[in-house]
Amino acid sequence: MDDAALPSEAETADAPAQTPATHPRAGEQLSGAEMVVEVLAQEGVDTVFGYSGGAILPTYDAVFRYNERERADADVDPMKLVVPANEQGAGFMAAGYARSSGKVGVFLVTSGPGATNTVTPIRDCMADSVPVVLITGQVARGAMGTDAFQEAPIVNIMGNCAKHVFLVTQPERLEETIRTAFEVARSGRPGPVVVDLPKDVQNWVGEFKGTGLLGIRGYRQRMEALRQTEVTEPKAEAFFEMLGSASRPLLYVGGGAIHGEGAEAVSAFAREYGIPSVSTVMGLGAVDTTDDLHLHMLGMHGTAYANYAVEDCDFIIAVGSRFDDRVAAKAELFAPLAEHIAHIDIDAAEIGKVKGVDWSHVGEAGHAMHSLLAHGRRVGFQRDFSRWGQHCTTLREKHPMGFKEDGDWIQPQGVMRALNDITGGEAIVSTGVGQHQMWAAQYLDFRLPRLWMTSGSMGTMGFGLPAAIGAQFANPEALVIDVDGDGSLRMNLGEMETVTTYGLPIKILLLNNNGDGMVRQWQKLYFDDRFSGSDKSLHRKDFIKAAEADGFEFARRCSDREALPEVIRAFVEYPGPAFLEVMIDPDAGVYPMVGPGMGYKQMVTGEHIPSREIPEIGRGGRVDPSEAF
């Protein structure tokens, strides 16, 4: 969006009142680039990820000079500038920083190819509601539209990927634009905001005001209304009337419960009334996965007992979840016995989009759940759901997760179980995308929110390693582990060097099955073993040598099942960067699995997870290959 098209603050009713200029540099003559850096500092930014280039050099120079001026400790920059191997890596680092901290992640790249390399992380952040601000260099205003060197139409390209895009054409409004970008990124349903910044605007010199925001017509009114939205007394009464008439309520918790600071309230609500819960892949950690009444992940590769609970429940309470195709591939088959569905979400567009609901509230998950909890206590609501809770416990006992535990090959599920025994659900874990992602989601525990980072909606291979780097910068004392696959790790392999360059104690656990395992699993089921493009057994990559070349002093390969527990422990406990490659069974599959377009009744549990019934699926099954993925 061109900020020239925005009304002035004087013309905009919802523009915030100006506050006295209290910034120590207010009134000084600064360059546009210096203003950008001062606003970043105002916003509490301590780490910027990015790759430099001609069109963004003034701002990179301003970061250098800011650190020189503000550095209190000779060894610590107040605004760390982290340089990746690739701009896409910078985007995922900013995303990992944001996902693990709840703060806005920031990345800074040059124009043209630098900016276009960030399209994927921007779309990834939009799909998973992650607040980041991307500042892209742009050619000077006079050269725009002339196909100048390293020019790209970022406003047009990013317009369909980001929550909002600003093109700064009026330098006197630069600092307000940067502040507003942060406001938009973090408010409402979080998301990515892009600021396209011409080089001549960075070089422009003007008075730094130290305060002020752009007037965005109607936006602040909507956000303020959203923040103040209460679960009214009649609405709360209607909710508890449905809960009171239910026998088998189930909390269906998504990533919005984490983004909306609702994890504590959801957990308290579940405990208060003894209501079982399930999580989406993005909601893992919103409820402690070790809790007796939590059934872990539901959906296409959810636990059998979670999916059976969905089949059996009579009241779905959806909190920050959106009934996406990985949960409700065929909406009419999802929760077939549910007499009522309640839905809480920050985004009104999600209400009724996929599945009709009987009760809804548009607002922040935490505020809404606290309101319902307070109402229930105020009116003394009581209902005994212990029989239902016992039923869910029995489901877990009868249909536990299981896998092949004998034979020569190391099974990936066993690797995850061994890792979980050490971390106890308290490590920050990122993943790439594929089978390893689902094994990690199924077998690892997450005791708190913001410990689990994965590319959910976009399913972006190459996400895991740079996201782990961002998370480690945000949480320098935390144990951060990237669980990756050989296909995904190759996508951003250059960031291995970034880990050692900055001396980050990240642990990279590579599950190597010499191929794109999830693709291969689908080719087995639906394409008669035609492994087109997915067999990587002839690839010559020696990941251990690659790790050593990038400076990993701990770089080991494990193919011995008996040695695995000891090796995993040594890997996790190593004090610096560590790389462990585990050679796993190339034929291992991800189960349970709900085929595309099917309901949970057709869930396939494989050979090692007891099933309630055995559906027809696989070769000659009823799935159209065109529906794959």
Side-chain angles (χ1 to χ4, degrees):
M1 182 174 181
D2 185 336
D3 67 3
L6 292 170
S8 70
E9 295 191 66
E11 298 168 330
T12 307
D14 67 330
Q18 289 292 307
T19 55
T22 57
H23 192 282
R25 303 197 72 183
E28 290 186 29
Q29 294 291 304
L30 301 182
S31 71
E34 290 171 320
M35 291 182 184
V36 169
V37 176
E38 291 296 339
V39 174
L40 294 183
Q42 266 188 317
E43 292 291 337
V45 175
D46 57 19
T47 308
V48 175
F49 306 92
Y51 208 98
S52 62
I56 199 65
L57 274 178
T59 301
Y60 268 75
D61 184 63
V63 172
F64 185 95
R65 288 184 285 110
Y66 173 86
N67 284 330
E68 226 176 17
R69 187 182 70 249
E70 300 292 333
R71 188 184 293 115
D73 186 316
D75 297 323
V76 179
D77 286 338
M79 189 178 293
K80 293 183 286 292
L81 188 56
V82 179
V83 182
N86 180 281
E87 290 90 356
Q88 185 184 103
F92 288 138
M93 288 173 197
Y97 183 100
R99 289 174 187 246
S100 64
S101 68
K103 298 190 289 187
V104 178
V106 178
F107 53 129
L108 181 66
V109 302
T110 194
S111 63
T116 58
N117 278 349
T118 64
V119 171
T120 298
I122 286 293
R123 174 58 195 148
D124 192 273
C125 288
M126 187 66 184
D128 285 347
S129 303
V130 178
V132 296
V133 168
L134 165 63
I135 300 173
T136 59
Q138 182 57 275
V139 300
R141 287 171 292 173
M144 290 175 63
T146 67
D147 287 332
F149 178 68
Q150 290 193 333
E151 180 187 3
I154 292 306
V155 171
N156 296 336
I157 292 170
M158 293 292 194
N160 289 322
C161 298
K163 183 177 179 181
H164 199 76
V165 184
F166 293 98
L167 170 62
V168 184
T169 58
Q170 298 180 34
E172 62 274 9
R173 303 178 74 181
L174 172 58
E175 60 173 297
E176 292 95 330
T177 301
I178 302 296
R179 288 192 197 94
T180 304
F182 278 84
E183 178 192 19
V184 173
R186 66 167 69 97
S187 57
R189 183 174 182 172
V193 176
V194 180
V195 180
D196 202 28
L197 188 54
K199 188 172 183 178
D200 63 318
V201 175
Q202 297 172 60
N203 288 326
W204 166 84
V205 175
E207 182 181 334
F208 182 63
K209 296 182 284 291
T211 187
L213 294 163
L214 292 178
I216 304 180
R217 196 177 278 120
Y219 182 79
R220 290 190 183 91
Q221 288 177 324
R222 293 195 301 275
M223 292 303 101
E224 185 59 30
L226 202 56
R227 280 189 290 271
Q228 294 182 4
T229 298
E230 298 287 342
V231 179
T232 63
E233 199 74 11
K235 184 178 276 193
E237 288 173 2
F239 176 88
F240 278 97
E241 185 177 333
M242 289 188 291
L243 184 59
S245 66
S247 299
R248 304 180 304 280
L250 185 67
L251 281 157
Y252 156 44
V253 185
I258 296 173
H259 299 316
E261 303 299 334
E264 182 184 344
V266 169
S267 298
F269 189 88
R271 286 193 302 269
E272 185 99 355
Y273 302 115
I275 299 176
S277 59
V278 295
S279 292
T280 67
V281 71
M282 296 304 297
L284 287 169
V287 178
D288 182 349
T289 58
T290 67
D291 187 279
D292 289 343
L293 279 177
H294 187 66
L295 301 171
H296 218 84
M297 186 174 71
L298 83 164
M300 174 178 278
H301 293 298
T303 65
Y305 43 89
N307 287 348
Y308 289 146
V310 173
E311 283 285 296
D312 296 344
C313 73
D314 65 0
F315 181 28
I316 285 279
I317 306 168
V319 183
S321 47
R322 56 190 181 86
F323 301 90
D324 71 291
D325 61 301
R326 283 310 195 246
V327 165
K330 206 162 188 175
E332 62 270 25
L333 299 180
F334 181 78
L337 301 182
E339 296 176 7
H340 297 292
I341 295 178
H343 193 181
I344 296 169
D345 204 279
I346 192 75
D347 188 350
E350 295 295 345
I351 306 294
K353 184 173 80 174
V354 175
K355 184 86 172 172
V357 300
D358 305 289
W359 184 97
S360 64
H361 176 75
V362 177
E364 294 174 342
H367 187 61
M369 292 305 295
H370 275 302
S371 296
L372 289 175
L373 194 57
H375 177 89
R377 289 170 177 170
R378 192 164 56 249
V379 302
F381 178 84
Q382 290 185 337
R383 185 79 163 85
D384 184 4
F385 297 118
S386 58
R387 287 184 62 191
W388 167 236
Q390 183 55 52
H391 174 78
C392 290
T393 298
T394 302
L395 287 177
R396 185 193 284 110
E397 293 168 351
K398 285 187 174 180
H399 310 282
M401 294 297 291
F403 57 92
K404 181 181 179 181
E405 300 201 40
D406 56 6
D408 296 330
W409 283 104
I410 294 176
Q411 298 302 317
Q413 302 94 330
V415 181
M416 293 298 95
R417 185 172 287 176
L419 180 63
N420 199 55
D421 287 344
I422 298 170
T423 64
E426 296 183 348
I428 295 175
V429 177
S430 66
T431 76
V433 170
Q435 286 181 317
H436 68 276
Q437 174 192 30
M438 292 296 100
W439 288 318
Q442 291 173 335
Y443 284 88
L444 296 181
D445 283 314
F446 301 96
R447 309 278 323 256
L448 295 168
R450 302 197 182 282
L451 295 179
W452 166 248
M453 302 186 302
T454 198
S455 174
S457 184
M458 269 286 278
T460 310
M461 294 174 71
F463 171 90
L465 178 54
I469 293 171
Q472 191 75 80
F473 273 106
N475 305 271
E477 303 304 317
L479 172 61
V480 179
I481 303 171
D482 170 33
V483 176
D484 232 319
D486 52 300
S488 277
L489 187 60
R490 279 187 176 93
M491 294 277 184
N492 274 313
L493 192 65
E495 306 310 342
M496 294 268 288
E497 185 182 21
T498 309
V499 173
T500 54
T501 295
Y502 293 95
L504 303 175
I506 290 170
K507 316 303 178 211
I508 302 170
L509 176 55
L510 171 60
L511 302 181
N512 192 343
N513 57 8
N514 285 312
D516 296 325
M518 189 65 85
V519 175
R520 200 160 54 191
Q521 181 170 332
W522 283 66
Q523 288 170 331
K524 285 181 185 177
L525 288 170
Y526 308 123
F527 294 88
D528 295 323
D529 288 345
R530 294 187 296 274
F531 300 121
S532 179
S534 60
D535 184 0
K536 306 295 175 66
S537 59
L538 296 179
H539 280 202
R540 301 293 299 276
K541 172 67 69 180
D542 186 324
F543 286 101
I544 301 303
K545 288 182 179 178
E548 290 173 341
D550 283 331
F552 281 79
E553 295 182 9
F554 186 107
R556 295 176 63 177
R557 177 180 295 118
C558 181
S559 55
D560 180 355
R561 188 160 56 90
E562 299 301 321
L564 181 65
E566 179 185 343
V567 173
I568 286 274
R569 183 166 293 279
F571 161 74
V572 172
E573 293 178 353
Y574 188 75
F579 183 91
L580 175 61
E581 178 183 25
V582 181
M583 307 306 297
I584 63 168
D585 184 352
D587 291 320
V590 179
Y591 293 102
M593 178 177 176
V594 180
M598 292 188 174
Y600 292 177
K601 272 186 169 56
Q602 288 80 43
M603 175 172 57
V604 178
T605 58
E607 298 177 38
H608 304 284
I609 301 173
S611 174
R612 293 210 286 208
E613 57 186 89
I614 302 174
E616 295 177 13
I617 193 169
R619 295 178 182 82
R622 300 189 300 269
V623 176
D624 182 345
S626 68
E627 295 180 343
F629 296 100

